[in-house]
Amino acid sequence: MMLMLVETFTVGMLSTNCYVASCPKTKDAIIIDPGLELPVEAQRIVDYISEAELNIKFIVNTHGHSDHVKGNAYFQQKYKVPLCIHPLDAHFIAELTPNNYLQNKTLEDGSIISCGQEMLRVLHTPGHTPGSICLVGEKLIFSGDTLFAGSIGRTDFPEGSNSDMQLSLQEIVALPDYLLVYPGHGETTMVGEEKRINPFIKNKGKNMFLF
Ligand SMILES: [Zn+2]
Ligand SMILES: [Zn+2]
């Protein structure tokens, strides 16, 4: 069983993590959250992709905030691949208009994104935004701005919801401890570690009743 290869590029003013995740066997790959602002950031990512000889299959946005999506158009033009986002966040993305990139793909809870021999399952985790998603693989989870190492995403934006966030965190708590977490900002962590130390999810058993 080969593990998905993940390369991290920290881009933009808000130090957003853009990930290139690939299947080591087939070299199929996806770009997650290309929130770049500078041409030099795009170039670093393009160089990595060509040096590693990856075949980009999809661009995926964990949500629609600009620090995660600014490079969508650049990479779509470069690689001619579908852009994937949850419909509740699609309005954030100017490129997702009719007549433009008809191959774009909306995601829903349970959607599968195939990447060579690897598969990522979409977990809809509203709260930070209504269409926030996490991508769950065999050994890892891309958590967007829902879960960070020791913290969680803000819910005080106009479309944020703290009650939705609480339910989404319970979904993540129900996942295996060994999953490596790749968040939208900051360092990687593990699901089990966050269950132990993250003040926002500590003591949240999955059966806890929320009012
Ligand atoms: Zn965000
Ligand atoms: Zn962000």
Side-chain angles (χ1 to χ4, degrees), residues 16 63 67-68 145 185:
T16 303
H63 62 296
D67 61 307
H68 297 256
D145 284 4
H185 302 267

Side-chain angles (χ1 to χ4, degrees), residues 125 128 134 141-153 165 169 172-173 181-185 187 189-191 194-195 198 200-201:
T125 51
H128 179 66
C134 296
I141 172 172
F142 295 97
S143 63
D145 284 4
T146 299
L147 176 66
F148 303 127
S151 186
I152 60 170
M165 176 62 96
L169 292 173
I172 293 176
V173 163
V181 180
Y182 290 92
H185 302 267
E187 298 298 312
T189 180
M190 310 279 288
V191 167
E194 294 310 306
K195 284 190 213 173
N198 190 316
F200 298 92
I201 60 175

Side-chain angles (χ1 to χ4, degrees), residues 1-210:
M1 167 82 211
M2 310 212 32
L3 288 180
M4 201 165 217
L5 238 155
V6 181
E7 188 73 16
T8 306
F9 299 89
T10 303
V11 297
M13 301 281 288
L14 297 174
S15 297
T16 303
N17 289 329
C18 168
Y19 296 109
V20 178
S22 58
C23 167
K25 188 111 186 191
T26 65
K27 299 204 172 258
D28 285 352
I30 59 175
I31 301 173
I32 300 169
D33 287 351
L36 48 94
E37 292 177 11
L38 302 170
V40 64
E41 294 173 331
Q43 198 54 52
R44 266 167 61 214
I45 297 169
V46 167
D47 287 349
Y48 168 74
I49 289 167
S50 64
E51 276 159 27
E53 301 179 321
L54 302 180
N55 321 306
I56 301 299
K57 296 292 180 184
F58 298 103
I59 299 164
V60 185
N61 295 147
T62 59
H63 62 296
H65 282 161
S66 67
D67 61 307
H68 297 256
V69 308
K70 272 182 191 162
N72 281 351
Y74 175 84
F75 285 112
Q76 271 206 300
Q77 268 148 32
K78 179 103 191 151
Y79 298 111
K80 310 274 190 272
V81 293
L83 172 66
C84 310
I85 191 166
H86 192 280
L88 291 176
D89 269 23
H91 64 282
F92 285 108
I93 314 287
E95 302 95 285
L96 269 191
T97 49
N99 309 322
N100 209 354
Y101 297 118
L102 291 173
Q103 74 275 40
N104 283 342
K105 175 178 156 97
T106 52
L107 303 174
E108 53 192 87
D109 194 58
S111 293
I112 298 292
I113 296 174
S114 294
C115 182
Q117 298 186 339
E118 302 287 335
M119 285 197 302
L120 294 172
R121 179 173 52 88
V122 172
L123 181 64
H124 182 209
T125 51
H128 179 66
T129 62
S132 282
I133 58 153
C134 296
L135 295 171
V136 184
E138 193 126 9
K139 296 279 165 64
L140 51 76
I141 172 172
F142 295 97
S143 63
D145 284 4
T146 299
L147 176 66
F148 303 127
S151 186
I152 60 170
R154 290 171 56 174
T155 56
D156 60 339
F157 295 112
E159 295 188 27
S161 162
N162 188 52
S163 54
D164 283 355
M165 176 62 96
Q166 296 309 315
L167 294 169
S168 293
L169 292 173
Q170 287 193 64
E171 300 254 8
I172 293 176
V173 163
L175 295 171
D177 284 0
Y178 57 75
L179 293 186
L180 191 53
V181 180
Y182 290 92
H185 302 267
E187 298 298 312
T188 54
T189 180
M190 310 279 288
V191 167
E193 179 74 355
E194 294 310 306
K195 284 190 213 173
R196 282 198 310 113
I197 59 133
N198 190 316
F200 298 92
I201 60 175
K202 227 164 124 181
N203 304 322
K204 271 193 181 46
K206 57 183 157 177
N207 299 319
M208 193 180 92
F209 189 77
L210 282 176

